[in-house]
Amino acid sequence: MLEVSNLEFSYDDGSPILKDISFSISKGERVALLGPSGYGKSTLGKIIAGHMNPDKGTVLLNNQKLSKYKGYKPIQLIYQHAEKALNNRWKIKDSLYEAWDIPVELLERMGINQSWLDRWPNELSGGQLQRISVLRALSPKTQLLIADEITASLDTITQAQLWNVVGDVLETNNTSLLMITHNESLAKRICSRIIQIESLCTCTCT
Ligand SMILES: Nc1ncnc2c1ncn2[C@@H]1O[C@H](COP(=O)(O)OP(=O)(O)O)[C@@H](O)[C@H]1O
Ligand SMILES: [Mg+2]
């Protein structure tokens, strides 16, 4: 249901970061995009999520461009650093419940304390904010979740707890996953297919 075709992209100042990238992800499928840093994984994630436009090529979700979807965007991207993802002028509860009607049970399983809800983003730690931003993105309206190194800066217990919840919710909603990571063992645990960025990338990467 996600179809990426012949993507090309370069930043203003240089040679192509992405060249002729094509792959697809089916409904409910979990795919890892694995590879060393600097190969354009995050750039590709942003393009698929519609945060940046490619120079060439197309990204289609259910045969439609993402820009055709009005309102809630069915492709959600979450980053390693949640600080950037949340609106600083919104209390935590407003960021969370604007996204979807989150069951209390999920807050508990994610280790989110009720007392955090009335706080501002700068009153939580990076790991706490990350749980909030992940839960926000797990709306049943999300058709593809792109997780860009989302647990790279978390301790292993929090990492496991977070991925357990994410895995269960994705399965319940039949949501697809593109997991961007350099952690191969984590990728194998969570995903059913692994794409090596080097195998997609025909340019000379730095
Ligand atoms: N905003 C930007 N402007 C210019 N170059 C960038 C920008 N963001 C990333 N790059 C460069 O693009 C390349 C790929 O970066 P990135 O997509 O972050 O790779 P990865 O996620 O695989 O580490 C790197 O060489 C990086 O320095
Ligand atoms: Mg990256």
Side-chain angles (χ1 to χ4, degrees):
M1 67 48 151
L2 177 81
E3 189 79 50
V4 172
S5 310
N6 311 105
L7 283 192
E8 280 191 36
F9 183 81
S10 43
Y11 288 103
D12 295 339
D13 52 354
S15 55
I17 301 293
L18 304 171
K19 206 173 165 195
D20 204 18
I21 301 274
S22 300
F23 65 95
S24 57
I25 300 179
S26 39
K27 187 161 174 56
E29 192 184 21
R30 297 184 197 176
V31 175
L33 182 63
L34 201 70
S37 71
Y39 274 69
K41 302 186 298 301
S42 294
T43 303
L44 182 56
K46 286 180 199 159
I47 291 172
I48 294 173
H51 296 192
M52 296 192 320
N53 292 317
D55 299 333
K56 283 186 192 161
T58 53
V59 176
L60 297 178
L61 183 74
N62 306 320
N63 300 312
Q64 268 201 115
K65 286 193 169 178
L66 196 59
S67 55
K68 294 273 185 212
Y69 289 88
K70 298 297 169 216
Y72 190 86
K73 293 294 174 195
I75 301 184
Q76 291 284 315
L77 171 65
I78 33 182
Y79 299 99
Q80 179 173 359
H81 298 290
E83 297 85 345
K84 295 182 205 153
L86 295 173
N87 188 334
N88 280 324
R89 286 168 300 180
W90 283 16
K91 287 199 166 174
I92 296 298
K93 63 180 176 202
D94 297 325
S95 283
L96 267 181
Y97 293 111
E98 179 235 12
W100 64 293
D101 201 4
I102 300 163
V104 177
E105 180 233 339
L106 273 186
L107 293 179
E108 286 167 3
R109 285 195 58 203
M110 198 64 117
I112 295 170
N113 194 308
Q114 294 277 344
S115 69
W116 302 352
L117 301 181
D118 261 319
R119 297 194 197 162
W120 302 99
N122 67 1
E123 296 168 337
L124 292 178
S125 75
Q128 292 168 340
L129 285 174
Q130 189 61 305
R131 292 178 229 180
I132 304 287
S133 81
V134 171
L135 199 48
R136 270 188 94 229
L138 287 176
S139 161
K141 288 177 286 184
T142 303
Q143 296 185 42
L144 171 70
L145 182 72
I146 305 178
D148 187 354
E149 304 277 12
I150 60 167
T151 54
S153 48
L154 304 182
D155 63 80
T156 48
I157 292 173
T158 310
Q159 185 180 75
Q161 180 189 37
L162 196 143
W163 277 112
N164 278 339
V165 180
V166 172
D168 288 352
V169 177
L170 294 181
E171 192 169 324
T172 303
N173 297 333
N174 207 16
T175 306
S176 313
L177 172 70
L178 179 64
M179 176 190 192
I180 299 176
T181 183
H182 58 266
N183 184 335
E184 189 168 1
S185 62
L186 186 65
K188 282 182 175 156
R189 197 150 60 73
I190 307 293
C191 297
S192 56
R193 180 155 64 98
I194 291 181
I195 299 175
Q196 297 282 350
I197 185 90
E198 298 99 315
S199 70
L200 291 178
C201 187
T202 53
C203 57
T204 35
C205 297
T206 46

